[in-house]
Amino acid sequence: MDSKHVLITGAAGYIGSMLTGVLLDRGDRVTAVDDLQFGGESLLAYWRHPGFCFIKGNITDARVTNPQLLAGVDAVVHLAAIVGFPACNAAGREHSWSVNVDGTRRVFEAADEAGVERFIFASTYSNYGVAEDGKPVTEESPLYPQSLYAETKIASEEYLIARAQDSHCAPLVFRFATLFGVSPRTRFDLIINQFVLEALTKKELMVYERGYSRSFVHVRDVASGVCLGLDAKLNRVRGAVYNLGGDSGNYTKDEIIALLQKHVDVRVTYKDISFEGDMRNVTVSFAKIREALGFEPLVTVEEGVVEVRDVIQQGVIKASGTTR
C-alpha cells in the first residue's frame, strides 16, 4: 500500500501508542495529538522517528480542530475520549458529552473541511448492553446502552453515519470488543488485565456476574484492524459499522477465570449480585468484518493472560500506578 499520513487523536493512550508504532513500522507518517493527561512516556520511543510528529492539545481546543492542522493528512483515527463508564460518571454528563460527542463532531468537521479522505472512529460493543434473546449481536442489532459512556458513543456514531453521504471525508465506525494485553501505555482497568494484576498482587479475586458473556480482543489486533480500515476501498468503509474482534474472543467470566487459574495461583470468590455500571452480557458476531475486510485476530486470550503475567512478574511494568 502507498504510505499515508495519519493523524491520531489520543495517541499517547492504550491503543494510540500501539497504533503509532505499527503505522510507523509499515512506513506511514503519524501526527500524534494528545493532551498528555496521563503522561507521554508511551510515545518516547518514536520521538526521533522521521515520520513522527507530536502536537500537544485537547480536542476541545479550537487550535486542535483547526482544518489547517489537518492539511495534507490522509486519514484521522479518532481515539481521544473520556473512556469508560467510571470516568464518564466522574466527569459528569455535560463534560462527557462535550468531549465525546461534540469533540468528535468538531474533529470530523475539521477533517472534512481539510479534505481528509477517511475518519476512523473508536466506538464500543458496550453499545449493545445486555442482549435480550441471547443470540450473537450483529451490527444491525438493537442498541441498549447501560451507561453514559455508551450513550456518548452511540450519539457520535449517529452523527457520523448521518454525515456519510454528504461529506468528502468517509467515516468508519469500529465497535471494539473489550481490549486486553500489553501496549506502551498498558491499562489495568480492563477486565483481563485487571484480573491478572489482582491475582498477582492480592492472590485473590472477587468476581461478580460470573456467567455473563463478554468479547475480548488484543490491543495489537485492534491496531491491525484499524490498519485494514485505513487501507480498504472507500466503498467498504464509508458510513460502515464493524464489530472489531473475533469469535475466539467470546468468553464468559467463568471461562476467563479458568484460563487465569492455569497460569496464576489465585483464590476466587463469587458474588452473584449486580451493580450499577456498564452492564454487558452479549456474544458478539464478527462475521461482517471477517468477510468485508478479512480481519481475524491473531493473539488469543490465553496468550494475553500470560503476556500480562510475565511483564508484571518480571518487573517490566510496576504493579502500582498503572491504571491508564
Side-chain angles (χ1 to χ4, degrees), residues 113-301:
E113 184 175 340
V116 175
E117 181 184 70
R118 66 188 71 197
F119 183 98
I120 295 179
F121 176 66
S123 193
T124 173
Y125 86 117
S126 294
N127 297 350
Y128 297 113
V130 179
E132 290 190 333
D133 56 11
K135 296 180 180 179
V137 294
T138 71
E139 290 81 356
E140 288 71 44
S141 296
L143 304 179
Y144 298 107
Q146 305 291 306
S147 66
L148 172 59
Y149 173 58
E151 290 173 10
T152 65
K153 288 297 185 179
I154 291 172
S156 297
E157 286 187 13
E158 290 173 344
Y159 165 76
L160 292 171
I161 293 168
R163 289 296 317 275
Q165 300 310 315
D166 68 2
S167 61
H168 169 83
C169 188
L172 165 62
V173 172
F174 280 133
R175 290 177 183 157
F176 297 152
T178 298
L179 276 72
F180 66 91
V182 173
S183 92
R185 179 164 296 283
T186 303
R187 286 174 55 185
F188 286 95
D189 58 342
L190 299 163
I191 183 170
I192 291 176
N193 294 359
Q194 179 185 356
F195 277 6
V196 176
L197 176 66
E198 292 187 5
L200 290 172
T201 57
K202 300 179 181 179
K203 306 300 181 185
E204 60 181 4
L205 278 176
M206 179 72 72
V207 178
Y208 302 89
E209 301 160 344
R210 60 183 295 180
Y212 275 31
S213 295
R214 296 281 186 99
S215 291
F216 299 94
V217 64
H218 193 278
V219 62
R220 180 170 288 277
D221 284 323
V222 166
S224 297
V226 170
C227 288
L228 288 176
L230 291 170
D231 297 339
K233 293 181 179 180
L234 277 180
N235 62 2
R236 295 206 172 197
V237 301
R238 180 176 290 278
V241 177
Y242 292 103
N243 296 329
L244 200 162
D247 295 338
S248 61
N250 284 319
Y251 279 82
T252 66
K253 283 190 178 180
D254 280 347
E255 290 168 336
I256 292 297
I257 292 300
L259 275 183
L260 177 65
Q261 290 181 315
K262 285 177 60 178
H263 300 284
V264 183
D265 183 20
V266 60
R267 182 171 64 89
V268 180
T269 304
Y270 296 95
K271 283 196 174 181
D272 290 325
I273 59 173
S274 61
F275 58 94
E276 182 180 357
D278 194 8
M279 301 283 289
R280 277 166 285 172
N281 185 19
V282 292
T283 299
V284 181
S285 168
F286 300 101
K288 183 178 178 181
I289 194 171
R290 182 172 60 248
E291 294 166 5
L293 301 183
F295 176 76
E296 283 281 7
L298 299 179
V299 186
T300 67
V301 171

Side-chain angles (χ1 to χ4, degrees), residues 4-16:
K4 297 176 174 61
H5 182 185
V6 182
L7 183 142
I8 305 173
T9 68
Y14 183 47
I15 300 171

Side-chain angles (χ1 to χ4, degrees), residues 28-83:
D28 293 328
R29 294 168 56 201
V30 174
T31 294
V33 177
D34 201 288
D35 65 2
L36 304 183
Q37 181 180 356
F38 301 104
E41 295 88 348
S42 60
L43 297 176
L44 288 178
Y46 317 126
W47 206 257
R48 298 292 296 174
H49 193 289
F52 177 80
C53 173
F54 176 73
I55 297 172
K56 183 179 180 181
N58 189 289
I59 59 170
T60 61
D61 298 338
R63 180 180 64 86
V64 173
T65 54
N66 187 329
Q68 293 181 355
L69 182 69
L70 292 142
V73 169
D74 298 302
V76 170
V77 180
H78 182 48
L79 303 173
I82 300 174
V83 178

Side-chain angles (χ1 to χ4, degrees), residues 298-314:
L298 299 179
V299 186
T300 67
V301 171
E302 185 167 8
E303 288 170 335
V305 167
V306 172
E307 172 187 76
V308 176
R309 180 202 65 185
D310 288 349
V311 298
I312 295 173
Q313 283 186 333
Q314 296 178 39

